[in-house]
């Protein structure tokens, strides 16, 4: 089916070949080229000789080379589609391509990431440093310079690849450059002066981390936060407006009461009501007024009802609403961007002779660039999966499924049901028995019962203070779990066992429990905490009810996104921690804030109770900004909000009252992030529930992984033909083994064909595809109307890209062996 | 068009007339009757003489009477549809009808409400009473007995109307009866023993209030809360499960630290983590462990991240999801119930001669029962509004719009645009000028500027402590507002001015400010608070931006629903307050809880600071259960959650540690209600936003009330004919004036017809109708398939309802004058 189209000429080249053609034809070709998006390939004409050359051999070589170029550019387009890189950053000439290839591999990404992390970690060692990690100014300033040089190098590569114009147009990169210059100057100043100055700009360091390729999710979160900001700020203003009105009212009403420290000045009144917004000083703020006049509680009840229970919820509603819309628009633009990438790539893969289809040879060429590590067998199977119609070529419609198919993991379908089908009869019967036992409801419920008994036992044991040491019950239960685990592994086969998330969980908890037992047996103190993880076994009980499975599955699905949200939060924390350390390091200490209203919380005195001397500790001096780790903990406490004003008032009493601005700003920022988190969880959960309802599908059935499954059948003839093709095109290719393996297993089983199953786990995008099915059709129609060729754009593009023959020196892999 | 059908026989009667007909006909009739739902009218045969009577006059009288019966029953059906009363409580015989009519008017509803309120208010006077309201045991027990007798009377009426079987089947009524009996016994015991015993059952008193007709919204909220409970409880269990696991972990990890009072026993560990769930003891609970080992903060961060930031939000998501579904289902069932009511009513209104239409005469007859106070003109206009096709009869399709049309307020359309169009020319020009001025953008923005300046002024003034007294600025601004108000009223006309909510708001705030000024001038202390409301003027600034108008409009729309949710919360408060008073009255007092960890908050000692003696007050002894008002405030503080554990620990230290159960239960209950409130606000807001988006309609345009408007044109001929009809049918009717008024105004204006506009404000139901347009069609189709007659049901009904001729003694209004 493939291998006979050596003479095919890429469609794009027809533009050059037909230069001698009619004008009307040229217009047509212009349209074709414009659909192609105008990459560097348009200028391929310099390489390709005019038609009618005699030396067929050498012409073929050039043709092959130009095909390789097309493959590579198509692969780049598809990568851009996958990573949501805009096409205006598409490499446009040979230097750009070299830089692009250099800057787009995991080594480079890793370097970016490490540089970013290193820069952020530096604050552990810079004064005020974590005591055990303190470094000399020499050392950390030099490290910083080194890291900054690395960043500069990365930026240079980017400049090379993007070109100056695009580089300047790319906002994120420009911001990064400015911050880099600033940091450079400051680092040199530090090195020269041999002392750290007030370096608030260190708060900008996370920018280097956020710009990493691997931090795309964080960037997306930040974008989403900024998109939700305008409506958020509107409601925030309403909130603050009511706060000010109530402050004035409160000041009028309660300032006559001299025993009331919360409303004696307008500033105090505003601060009190701001803190009341977070409920942190309730009911204390009410008490002096309440003790004078019982009706004064009405003021506070009205204030809280309006602000806390109404406007704050409105804030959530507005953010949720915006979030909802943004999520859908994001999905839409991603989808259309991918489709556009596929369109571009497709045009580069079709040949002049067959302009509507991609043959396997071309597809394989593309894949060698797109997924260099993919085996020949998997490339072939991916092609088969795309090619559902069975035609020799992939149509554009087939090709649109590219991204759905590309992540599949291929495995030959089992001929039998169980892993032990091929074993001798007696052994088979034993394993079959175990299998039936393990799958039976009775066994499952017996295990649930054991877990429940274990739970009660742990509770009782803990209550009776019979903790630690070798308790026999511990060993008994662990033995039962161990036996269950072994039975399940043997009964289901290791592969089936470990493919279920729940089983993995069981396995790891049981393993930890064993490790804990060993730690106990050898009295290894540091591993004591493992013993303590025992109660986690009880989590298995939640498998019983469908709703819990749903909830826990949603939980597991949300984890990656939650983690990226957490990382986003940490980036905010980092910036605030730096600012906090610069201004508030070492300002609070035991017995420091005796002039403030919160002195008791910072007190550390010995008092005599009866005849014993007891240390009366307020402990709040521990919530400080003395180093970055303490700052993080302090900021987490501020995030939780309760009693945050104690930290605020403590610091304020030791500095100026402008410090409150820092704490209030932090509160508002975390409020934004937290509201986004709530909106995100709400959205994800409601989406999932709606999805289940719409598809009447009990998501979360424990036995069924919610995966996407494709099937591809390979016949002996096809496999042989493909092998032949590979042997022709790249004889030295080492990844033919996989194909030979297919043939081998066919021979062994005696079948003339083998069925392979491609699986991958279902992503949010798959669910969205199904949810918005109808809308997606509309989007596509809209998109295809919009993307009709516009000649004026095209002419710009043509002049933009001069001859780029040097671009293709770097043709990788087996294309070397062709020439 | 009406008035000629005196001989029409109601469709329902055809069943009797045709008794001599064929069997096949009978089957047909059975179907008709079944569509009619089988009320008491089916047995009308006893009243109606067999066909072929000679005396046409007397037959006509009987016919009229039977029509009146049909009107009344149709009106009852429509009322049931409106109030969402199930049809199985439909009155089935004459006694039932009398009782039904007695129990369904505002006097009776008012009595119900007052009895319920009285019973609840009693707890103000019963020990432990509010000091100033304390009543003797004689008095309040007698009052209680009185109120209970009233309730018993109401229940008797209900029993009469429902019949014993239905009464027993009706759960709410049965519960009420049981509670009534219990309360009766207890009240008598109190009266006999002359002392109050432990009466926790008083907590059940709200049932009498909730059962009132006027508290339908509260009942609906309660139902919604109970419907959301099952998923809520599931997630709650997950929450508590993690809490217990972490308690065990925490106990293992931190109990070796003797300085840590939070984890020294398993019980303390659980309580600490429960309180931590509410964040109320954070970071204090972490501090002892944190001061020992800095890494112990990881335990708390993980716990809070899982419990507070994940599962608590999941709780909201689950409730929101359920709430969403429940709201839609509720809307659907209400809609179908109304449609079913209309179907029933329609069948009773059509005549044998014209089985597919309702003439005006029949419609008017219905309306006399359904809305006795509606004027003849409005009845006619309502009929015109329903009858959009202009046919002489209302088809069933027309009649389906009944509930949309019934609430309209009718007004003749103004001939001119302005109220001053009829004034002499010079005056007209002056008013026209004012009108243009008032409507101009410049004027509006000038006013915004004034308000903004006023706002800054108030802030500065307050900051400079120049408060109270006659400030000239106050008078200047007030004068400006007054002039603006007068200009607007004269320019727009009072009617147009007061029909806008924003203007009403302006008006009332300005009025209050004037009253405050007068209060100041005469030094009336108690009205001082009015002065303090001045800053509310600033709220006008939020009219500028569309989003704020949206938000504030949503706020106003939500108020009724919020109020009913608030009432629901108060009912929970009441029950908890009673229980709290029974167990914890007078247990906390100054310096009471010295053995507990929260002793400082209850301390009241004189301490010497420098050379002054200052009262150091903890104030928390004020948060007690000493009477019902204090209990409410305490419960509100518990709802706000911050520092709630201080109240809990204070009470616990004075009683037993089982008291904690009370506080924890209360926390969980308020958590449910609060989550519902959040879900409700979210749902309402998101719904509104989606509605705006779907209809591309800028909801909240201040000049345009979002009303439903119907138009009906009345010609002179129609008006005369209708008047004639009324004169014939009820000559003594006093409400003909309205129709004569129509004729009079026609004569005055010289037009031969007048156009009337019917308006009403848009309700949530109208918005839902538009949102779910497509689904509603499906529901209707489904409904009409399901409601096909099923003969077996019918035969049951027939035997259920014996002769009911006496039912119609109570024919109200002008039907008396007919006979």
């Amino acid at each position: 089916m493939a291998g006979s189209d050596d003479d095919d000429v890429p469609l794009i080249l027809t533009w050059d070949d037909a230069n001698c053609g009619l004008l009307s034809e040229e217009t047509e070709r212009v349209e074709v080229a414009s659909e192609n998006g105008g990459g560097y390939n348009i200028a391929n004409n310099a390489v390709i000789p005019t038609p009618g050359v005699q030396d067929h051999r050498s012409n073929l070589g050039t043709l092959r080379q130009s095909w390789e170029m097309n493959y590579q550019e198509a692969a780049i387009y598809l990568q851009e589609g996958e990573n949501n890189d805009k096409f205006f950053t598409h490499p446009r000439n040979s230097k750009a391509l070299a830089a692009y290839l250099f800057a787009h591999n995991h080594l480079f990404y890793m370097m970016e990431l490490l540089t970013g992390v290193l820069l952020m970690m530096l604050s552990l060692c810079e004064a005020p440093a974590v005591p055990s990690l303190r470094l000399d100014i020499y050392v950390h300033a030099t490290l910083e310079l080194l890291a900054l040089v690395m960043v500069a190098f990365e930026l240079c590569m980017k400049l090379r690849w993007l070109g100056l114009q695009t580089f300047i147009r790319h906002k994120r990169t420009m911001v990064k450059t400015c911050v880099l210059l600033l940091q450079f100057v400051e680092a040199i100043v530090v090195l020269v002066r041999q002392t750290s100055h007030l370096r608030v700009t260190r708060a900008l360091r996370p920018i280097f981390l956020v710009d990493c390729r691997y931090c795309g999710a964080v960037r997306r979160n930040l974008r989403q936060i900024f998109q939700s900001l305008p409506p958020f700020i509107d409601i925030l203003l309403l909130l603050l407006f009511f706060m000010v009105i109530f402050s004035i009212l409160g000041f009028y009403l309660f300032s006559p009461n001299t025993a009331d420290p919360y409303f004696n000045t307008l500033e105090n009144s505003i601060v009190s009501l701001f803190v009341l917004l977070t409920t942190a000083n309730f009911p204390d703020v009410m008490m002096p007024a309440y003790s004078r006049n019982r009706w004064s509680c009405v003021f506070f009840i009205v204030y809280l009802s309006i602000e806390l229970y109404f406007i704050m919820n409105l804030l959530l509603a507005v953010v949720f609403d915006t979030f909802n819309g943004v999520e859908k628009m994001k999905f839409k633009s991603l989808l259309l961007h991918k489709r556009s990438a596929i369109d571009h790539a497709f045009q580069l893969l079709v040949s002049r002779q067959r302009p509507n289809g991609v043959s396997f040879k071309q597809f394989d060429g593309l894949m060698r660039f797109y997924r260099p590590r993919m085996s020949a067998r998997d490339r072939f199977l991916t092609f088969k999966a795309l090619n559902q119609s069975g035609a020799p070529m992939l149509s554009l419609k087939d090709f649109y499924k590219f991204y759905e198919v590309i992540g599949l993991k291929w495995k030959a379908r089992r001929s039998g049901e169980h892993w032990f089908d091929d074993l001798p009869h007696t052994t088979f019967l034993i394993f079959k028995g175990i299998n039936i036992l393990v799958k039976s409801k009775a066994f499952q419920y017996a295990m649930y019962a054991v877990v429940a008994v274990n739970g009660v036992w742990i509770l009782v044991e803990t209550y009776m203070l019979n903790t630690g040491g070798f308790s026999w019950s511990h060993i008994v239960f662990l033995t039962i779990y161990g036996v269950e685990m072994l039975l399940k592994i043997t009964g289901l086969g290791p592969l089936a066992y470990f493919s279920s998330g729940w089983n993995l969980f069981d396995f790891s908890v049981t393993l930890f429990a064993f490790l804990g037992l060993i730690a106990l047996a050898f009295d290894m103190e540091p591993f004591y905490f493992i013993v303590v993880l025992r109660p986690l076994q009880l989590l298995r009980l939640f498998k019983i009810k469908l709703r819990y499975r749903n909830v826990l599955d949603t939980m597991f699905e949300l984890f990656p996104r939650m983690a990226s949200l957490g990382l986003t939060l940490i980036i905010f924390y980092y910036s605030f921690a730096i600012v906090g350390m610069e201004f508030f390091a070492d300002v609070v200490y035991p017995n420091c804030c005796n002039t403030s209203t919160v002195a008791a919380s910072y007190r550390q005195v010995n008092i005599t109770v009866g005849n014993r001397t007891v240390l009366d500790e307020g402990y709040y001096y521990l919530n400080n900004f003395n180093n970055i780790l303490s700052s993080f903990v302090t900021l987490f406490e501020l995030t939780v909000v309760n009693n945050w004003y104690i930290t605020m008032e403590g610091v304020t009493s030791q500095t100026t009252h402008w410090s409150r601005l820092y704490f209030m700003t932090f509160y508002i920022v975390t409020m934004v992030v937290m509201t986004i988190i709530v909106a995100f969880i709400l959205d994800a959960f409601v989406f999932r529930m709606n999805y289940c309802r719409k598809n009447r599908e009990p998501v979360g059935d424990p036995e069924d992984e919610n995966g996407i499954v494709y099937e591809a059948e390979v016949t002996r003839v096809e496999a042989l033909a493909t092998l032949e093709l590979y042997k022709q095109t790249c004889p030295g290719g080492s990844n033919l083994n996989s194909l030979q393996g297919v043939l081998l297993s066919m021979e062994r089983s005696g079948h003339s064909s083998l069925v392979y199953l491609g699986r991958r786990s279902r992503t949010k995008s798959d669910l969205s595809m199904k949810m918005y099915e109808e809308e997606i059709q509309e989007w596509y129609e809209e998109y295809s109307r919009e993307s009709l060729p516009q000649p004026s754009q095209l002419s710009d593009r043509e002049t933009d890209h001069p001859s780029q023959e040097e671009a293709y020196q770097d043709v990788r892999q087996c294309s070397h062996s062709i020439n």
Side-chain angles (χ1 to χ4, degrees), chain A residues 718-773:
Chain A
E718 280 174 350
L720 277 173
T722 314
L723 197 63
E724 200 51 40
L725 175 76
Y726 277 115
K727 279 186 183 150
Q728 267 182 28
T729 50
C730 40
S734 60
N735 54 10
L736 296 182
N737 302 342
S738 56
L739 267 176
Q740 280 156 346
V742 173
L743 284 169
L744 217 68
S745 59
M746 271 184 204
E747 266 169 39
R748 231 184 335 189
S749 66
H751 298 294
S752 67
S753 70
L754 260 180
V755 175
Y756 282 82
L757 290 181
R759 280 176 202 278
R760 64 182 170 83
S761 54
R762 194 182 275 164
T763 63
K764 173 96 197 275
S765 153
D766 293 310
L767 300 183
S768 302
M769 289 284 267
K770 223 169 179 179
M771 276 295 280
Y772 303 133
E773 243 167 337

Side-chain angles (χ1 to χ4, degrees), chain A residues 553-707:
Chain A
D553 284 344
T554 313
M555 211 159 143
F556 286 123
E557 265 176 35
L558 292 184
F559 261 141
R561 209 38 221 288
M562 289 295 279
S564 79
L565 273 171
L567 204 61
T568 314
L569 196 63
I570 284 179
I571 280 169
F572 279 109
Y573 271 27
Y574 184 86
S575 298
F576 273 94
I578 294 283
V579 176
M581 287 196 306
E582 290 292 358
F583 291 112
F584 311 131
D586 298 317
V587 302
V588 293
Y589 42 83
N591 300 317
C592 68
C593 312
N594 287 324
T595 57
S596 74
T597 52
V598 294
S601 303
Y602 288 89
R603 198 174 291 148
Q604 190 182 34
V605 287
N606 288 314
I607 54 169
T608 314
V609 177
N611 46 10
R612 289 184 309 137
T613 303
V614 183
L615 188 68
D616 180 24
E617 277 209 288
Y619 289 121
Y620 271 76
Y621 59 88
L622 289 172
N623 304 329
N624 53 40
F625 292 90
N626 293 355
N627 62 55
I628 191 135
L629 293 184
S630 295
S631 304
F632 266 63
V633 174
T634 309
L635 291 177
F636 180 77
E637 287 168 12
L638 294 179
T639 308
V640 175
V641 165
N642 193 63
N643 284 352
W644 69 285
Y645 73 98
I646 294 183
T647 306
M648 175 169 84
E649 291 301 317
V651 169
T652 304
S653 74
Q654 297 294 102
T655 55
T656 75
H657 61 170
W658 291 105
S659 312
R660 282 182 182 141
L661 268 186
Y662 171 84
F663 290 94
M664 288 180 172
T665 315
F666 180 75
Y667 171 68
I668 289 174
V669 169
T670 46
M671 187 161 74
V672 179
V673 180
M674 284 298 155
T675 313
I676 294 270
I677 290 180
V678 178
F680 163 67
I681 293 177
L682 266 182
D683 184 69
F685 193 81
V686 171
F687 178 86
R688 199 184 156 93
M689 285 319 234
N690 282 340
Y691 178 82
C692 294
R693 239 170 260 137
K694 197 170 175 186
N695 298 289
R696 312 219 170 251
E697 188 183 291
V699 174
D701 196 351
E703 303 306 320
D704 165 55
E705 316 123 271
N706 299 296

Side-chain angles (χ1 to χ4, degrees), chain A residues 365-663:
Chain A
L366 164 75
M367 291 306 286
R368 268 183 282 123
F369 286 101
Y370 186 69
R371 284 280 153 93
R373 302 242 183 83
M374 203 182 221
S375 74
R377 184 199 73 176
D378 288 357
R379 293 206 289 269
F380 181 64
L381 287 170
T382 308
F383 181 81
K384 292 285 286 182
L386 279 176
N387 186 16
Q388 292 288 2
S389 64
M393 299 286 217
L394 288 180
S395 67
L396 183 59
K397 204 170 150 253
D398 291 337
F399 205 55
Y400 277 148
K401 275 187 284 175
F402 185 79
Y403 289 112
E404 281 168 53
V405 164
I406 198 65
L408 296 175
K409 297 251 172 297
W410 292 97
K411 259 180 221 162
R413 186 155 69 185
R414 275 275 156 62
S415 49
E417 233 185 303
H418 311 298
W419 67 276
F420 46 77
D421 282 338
D422 304 334
L423 294 179
H425 191 66
T426 332
T427 337
F428 172 81
L429 277 186
I430 292 171
F431 281 119
K432 183 77 195 163
I434 295 175
N435 183 289
I436 290 169
L437 171 73
V438 159
K439 279 190 171 174
S440 68
K441 283 266 169 225
F443 182 77
Q444 282 176 32
Y445 282 99
M447 282 316 297
Y448 290 144
V450 169
V451 173
V453 169
N454 190 3
V456 175
W457 201 278
I458 291 176
L459 257 182
V460 170
E461 215 181 49
T462 314
Y463 189 72
M464 312 283 274
L465 291 171
N466 182 12
T467 73
F470 253 36
S471 122
W472 63 267
S473 68
H474 187 181
I475 298 171
V476 168
F477 281 114
L478 206 49
T479 315
I480 297 177
Y481 294 142
V483 168
E484 184 218 7
M485 200 173 81
L486 287 177
L487 280 179
K488 273 196 164 175
I489 292 179
T490 48
L492 302 173
L495 271 178
Y497 180 80
F498 285 113
S499 64
S500 151
W502 279 106
N503 285 342
L504 264 178
F505 174 78
D506 285 359
F507 180 78
S508 44
V509 171
T510 313
L511 199 72
F512 272 126
F514 266 113
L515 289 179
L517 203 64
I518 293 166
L520 261 186
F522 291 93
D523 267 337
M524 290 186 283
E525 262 299 311
F527 295 102
Y528 185 65
F529 75 95
I530 291 177
V531 187
V532 143
L533 293 178
R534 269 199 300 160
L536 282 183
Q537 287 276 9
L538 303 183
L539 214 57
R540 287 166 59 170
L541 284 179
F542 285 97
K543 269 196 290 185
I544 303 178
K545 197 165 175 183
L546 179 69
R547 189 190 303 280
Y548 290 122
R549 285 205 303 272
N550 252 335
V551 164
L552 291 171
D553 284 344
T554 313
M555 211 159 143
F556 286 123
E557 265 176 35
L558 292 184
F559 261 141
R561 209 38 221 288
M562 289 295 279
S564 79
L565 273 171
L567 204 61
T568 314
L569 196 63
I570 284 179
I571 280 169
F572 279 109
Y573 271 27
Y574 184 86
S575 298
F576 273 94
I578 294 283
V579 176
M581 287 196 306
E582 290 292 358
F583 291 112
F584 311 131
D586 298 317
V587 302
V588 293
Y589 42 83
N591 300 317
C592 68
C593 312
N594 287 324
T595 57
S596 74
T597 52
V598 294
S601 303
Y602 288 89
R603 198 174 291 148
Q604 190 182 34
V605 287
N606 288 314
I607 54 169
T608 314
V609 177
N611 46 10
R612 289 184 309 137
T613 303
V614 183
L615 188 68
D616 180 24
E617 277 209 288
Y619 289 121
Y620 271 76
Y621 59 88
L622 289 172
N623 304 329
N624 53 40
F625 292 90
N626 293 355
N627 62 55
I628 191 135
L629 293 184
S630 295
S631 304
F632 266 63
V633 174
T634 309
L635 291 177
F636 180 77
E637 287 168 12
L638 294 179
T639 308
V640 175
V641 165
N642 193 63
N643 284 352
W644 69 285
Y645 73 98
I646 294 183
T647 306
M648 175 169 84
E649 291 301 317
V651 169
T652 304
S653 74
Q654 297 294 102
T655 55
T656 75
H657 61 170
W658 291 105
S659 312
R660 282 182 182 141
L661 268 186
Y662 171 84
F663 290 94

Side-chain angles (χ1 to χ4, degrees), chain A residues 74-111:
Chain A
I76 289 175
Y77 268 121
L78 289 175
Q79 262 164 22
E80 286 169 335
E82 197 180 10
N83 301 332
N84 197 23
D85 288 330
K86 295 289 159 280
F87 294 131
F88 78 88
T89 65
H90 194 79
R92 309 216 169 236
N93 55 45
S94 65
K95 270 191 213 160
L97 181 70
Y100 179 90
L101 291 176
F102 183 82
H104 285 77
N105 60 67
H106 289 285
L107 213 73
F108 188 84
Y109 299 158
M110 214 58 198
M111 193 180 77

